[in-house]
Amino acid sequence: MESFQFVVNGLMLGGIYAIVGAGFALVYGVMNVLNVAHGSFIMIGAYLTYWTVTLLGVDPFVTLPASAVALFAFGYLVQRTVISRVLHASIFMTFILTFGLDMFLINAGLVAWGGSYRAVRPSYADDVLIMGGLTIPYVRLVVLVAVVAVIALLLLFMSKTRLGIAIKATALEREAAQLAGVDVKQIDAITFGLSAALAGVAGGLLAVVLPFGPFMGVPLTGKAFTVAVLGGLGSMTGALYGGFVLAFAEIGGVIALGGEWADGIAFIILLVVLVLRPRGLLGKEFFAEVKV
Amino acid sequence: MAAMLEVRDLTTGYTDVPLIADLSISLAPGEVVALLGANGSGKTTVLRAIMGLLPAWQGRVVFDGQEVTRRAVHERVKAGLVMVPAGRRLFFGLSVEDNLKMGGYLTWESRLLRERMAEVFALFPELGKLRTHLAGKLSGGEQQMVALGRALMARPRALLIDELSLGLAPVVVERLMPAVEKIRNLFGIPVLFVEQDVLRAVELADRAYVLDQGRIAMEGHPKQFAQDRRLIRAYMGV
Ligand SMILES: Nc1ncnc2c1ncn2[C@@H]1O[C@H](COP(=O)(O)OP(=O)(O)O)[C@@H](O)[C@H]1O
Ligand SMILES: [Mg+2]
């Protein structure tokens, strides 16, 4: 029973981390930007779902495609207007810029929605599914299904479509992609939009399972970084695996060590991986490594 | 005959010192032209400037009657100007098939992609069974075939090739060089190629330029100055 809960929770949280980490890794892979504001995109996604559910009374899962579209547009514009200015600057400049963007978004969130915690509670929030003596909260099951669907769609998009393959090609060999006729500036903006859309979907899913506020993104940026490093920075599929590794490590750590360790575990893993194996545990060949 | 590609008084560089100064070259339809010169004489820089990977400070690049000097790289590719970069620059993490498909990025129509891929496999049969392999796992020679194939997938109207033989064993180069001839004959497109090995270039080219410190030092039929001492001095740097 307990081990079953452990697996369900691990898969659910792992899937969300995977989505968060994949978006973070894509941006790093294509334009060498470590986006400190990634967590705040998640936060915006959480509020978008919250307000759509609250104002329109729709099911929270129905809001996800709309918030993905909205965050894609937002990410695309942010890249075109702001991020594109520091692409040829040092990584330090990209840190300062995205850190500033993060501060701005958090404070905008505080001003607009206040600092109090909120939660999205659909009408079936307390329902459980009983299967052969096992009980699963119904909401968690739907989150799990949504997570699997998003990851499957992402993998399909990246491996089968013209745009997905072009994004990978641009990450691997930017000039060769240009020579193949790819407008790489367009790809930069699309990749940033895609990353924001994934963050937005993750935010909507998190809002259904956990209470959240304007600061919810701060630890999540750190986790996105950990997941991406675990997967070998810049490798999207590596980050997908990394998400599940982190989630199971966290949940296992909390069971073994206690709840206060929840957010610390990510940073312990990050440190250990960076010291022992900077190309990542699952680092795929031919993708970017951590450059020291 | 009107030139397919015309570079006029091109000046460019990486720092604030011009590396290429007032350079003029041309490529006529159907012609195979070699760009020779010692290591560091600026050959790669010229090709990069023609493609727009490096902006021209002065001068013009005219392709098929259209001025493309200020156009983005992908727009030049769309016009039919295609380059095989030095060192191949394959997408190592993608399969051979996806590398080739990327060459056809601007068309990306499944029937056309299939047809063109079949042409590439006809030219280099050994690639056929490597379709699903990661490009990064191939040998140098196989990688160069994919690089040529990727360029052909774009249906070029003129092809620039930067050091086909770079880092490859002589036997492999022997196998690859005739492909340049074949490409010209099969597709009827002009080729401008950079080569270190002057003897090989002599076999292949209708005409050649010798580049020395960013300027054209000589122009003519490669045979006529294969024996020329000035060339040997300019070219080999002795
Ligand atoms: N990215 C760069 N930044 C600065 N200098 C460069 C760069 N690439 C090449 N150079 C310099 O430009 C000169 C010509 O280089 P290149 O065009 O590659 O010559 P070639 O292809 O004939 O060997 C060399 O002295 C080289 O050091
Ligand atoms: Mg060169």
Side-chain angles (χ1 to χ4, degrees):
Chain A
M1 179 67 220
E2 246 170 41
S3 62
F4 178 72
Q5 217 105 59
F6 175 77
V7 170
V8 168
N9 287 338
L11 288 178
M12 188 190 73
L13 193 63
I16 294 176
Y17 286 172
I19 293 170
V20 167
F24 187 85
L26 273 172
V27 164
Y28 180 76
V30 169
M31 61 204 101
N32 267 301
V33 168
L34 292 170
N35 178 20
V36 178
H38 197 60
S40 286
F41 292 167
I42 300 172
M43 179 267 290
I44 294 173
Y47 277 99
L48 276 182
T49 292
Y50 175 86
W51 285 113
T52 321
V53 169
T54 307
L55 297 177
L56 303 180
V58 296
D59 186 276
F61 295 98
V62 175
T63 70
L64 297 179
S67 103
V69 169
L71 270 141
F72 177 89
F74 181 62
Y76 186 95
L77 286 176
V78 165
Q79 202 286 336
R80 273 276 142 123
T81 53
V82 185
I83 305 292
S84 60
R85 292 170 197 278
V86 294
L87 284 194
H88 302 289
S90 68
I91 192 109
F92 186 64
M93 278 306 295
T94 72
F95 262 129
I96 294 178
L97 184 78
T98 57
F99 182 74
L101 178 63
D102 195 47
M103 289 288 111
F104 173 79
L105 293 176
I106 291 172
N107 283 294
L110 273 171
V111 170
W113 305 308
S116 58
Y117 278 80
R118 296 170 191 268
V120 175
R121 284 182 58 81
S123 55
Y124 46 83
D126 299 316
D127 295 357
V128 293
L129 212 69
I130 302 170
M131 287 193 312
L134 301 168
T135 53
I136 324 171
Y138 183 65
V139 166
R140 303 209 153 201
L141 200 67
V142 185
V143 170
L144 200 55
V145 170
V147 150
V148 170
V150 171
I151 292 176
L153 277 176
L154 178 64
L155 284 173
L156 216 58
F157 170 74
M158 290 299 291
S159 62
K160 296 281 178 251
T161 69
R162 174 180 189 245
L163 200 51
I165 296 172
I167 289 174
K168 285 197 282 189
T170 304
L172 287 162
E173 281 288 348
R174 194 176 175 87
E175 280 199 349
Q178 280 178 284
L179 290 173
V182 177
D183 179 353
V184 291
K185 287 184 183 161
Q186 184 80 4
I187 292 289
D188 286 343
I190 290 172
T191 304
F192 210 83
L194 174 63
S195 172
L198 290 167
V201 168
L205 292 171
L206 279 168
V208 180
V209 286
L210 292 171
F212 65 93
F215 289 99
M216 77 178 286
V218 176
L220 288 169
T221 297
K223 287 178 193 186
F225 185 62
T226 306
V227 164
V229 167
L230 264 173
L233 253 183
S235 158
M236 187 201 74
T237 39
L240 289 175
Y241 291 119
F244 290 97
V245 171
L246 176 64
F248 278 101
E250 261 185 20
I251 296 174
V254 166
I255 291 170
L257 304 170
E260 66 277 16
W261 284 84
D263 284 340
I265 285 164
F267 294 99
I268 295 171
I269 293 178
L270 179 62
L271 265 181
V272 171
V273 173
L274 279 177
V275 170
L276 295 182
R277 203 177 143 79
R279 86 185 293 218
L281 282 186
L282 316 142
K284 230 176 118 186
E285 236 177 331
F286 310 124
F287 279 86
E289 300 182 11
V290 183
K291 294 183 194 85
V292 187
Chain B
M1 196 163 16
M4 190 70 188
L5 175 68
E6 176 104 51
V7 178
R8 217 172 299 150
D9 303 323
L10 177 76
T11 301
T12 188
Y14 294 97
T15 53
D16 47 3
V17 193
L19 203 77
I20 303 298
D22 297 323
L23 175 130
S24 296
I25 57 179
S26 68
L27 183 65
E31 216 183 8
V32 174
V33 174
L35 182 59
L36 310 173
N39 216 344
S41 59
K43 305 181 296 293
T44 296
T45 308
V46 170
L47 294 195
R48 288 170 55 86
I50 294 175
M51 288 309 300
L53 286 168
L54 191 67
W57 298 357
Q58 274 164 40
R60 288 155 38 94
V61 180
V62 179
F63 180 64
D64 198 19
Q66 292 182 319
E67 162 124 28
V68 297
T69 320
R70 304 272 162 254
R71 298 240 190 112
V73 181
H74 65 271
E75 286 169 354
R76 301 184 201 207
V77 178
K78 201 171 212 163
L81 190 54
V82 175
M83 168 167 149
V84 180
R88 306 177 275 279
R89 300 300 204 87
L90 294 186
F91 307 117
F92 276 3
L94 299 186
S95 67
V96 167
E97 195 166 84
D98 281 351
N99 268 273
L100 293 176
K101 273 190 189 169
M102 274 308 296
Y105 175 78
L106 288 173
T107 346
W108 206 275
E109 202 258 289
S110 53
R111 191 180 50 83
L112 283 179
L113 288 178
R114 258 199 318 276
E115 277 174 22
R116 293 181 191 179
M117 227 181 279
E119 283 169 6
V120 172
F121 293 144
L123 193 60
F124 303 117
E126 46 269 79
L127 291 185
K129 50 187 179 300
L130 298 172
R131 304 170 80 112
T132 58
H133 291 224
L134 284 188
K137 296 278 193 196
L138 306 187
S139 72
E142 290 161 348
Q143 285 182 9
Q144 191 60 275
M145 293 175 201
V146 178
L148 279 168
R150 182 178 61 185
L152 292 176
M153 292 290 292
R155 261 304 139 84
R157 300 181 55 234
L159 191 61
L160 314 180
I161 304 177
D162 196 352
E163 291 207 51
L164 200 63
S165 56
L166 190 74
L168 299 180
V171 280
V172 180
V173 179
E174 287 307 320
R175 164 82 184 76
L176 275 170
M177 278 299 174
V180 175
E181 189 81 57
K182 264 198 197 162
I183 286 168
R184 187 248 303 257
N185 296 340
L186 275 176
F187 298 93
I189 54 172
V191 180
L192 174 65
F193 74 102
V194 162
E195 191 46 65
Q196 281 282 339
D197 189 334
V198 68
L199 294 177
R200 244 189 264 286
V202 166
E203 290 170 27
L204 221 59
D206 304 321
R207 207 154 56 80
Y209 294 98
V210 177
L211 199 59
D212 184 31
Q213 294 180 41
R215 289 169 188 278
I216 298 294
M218 275 193 282
E219 185 202 337
H221 192 281
K223 274 195 189 105
Q224 121 202 359
F225 48 73
Q227 305 99 338
D228 192 315
R229 288 176 173 279
R230 267 205 312 152
L231 167 83
I232 306 293
R233 223 179 299 127
Y235 178 65
M236 304 296 280
V238 290

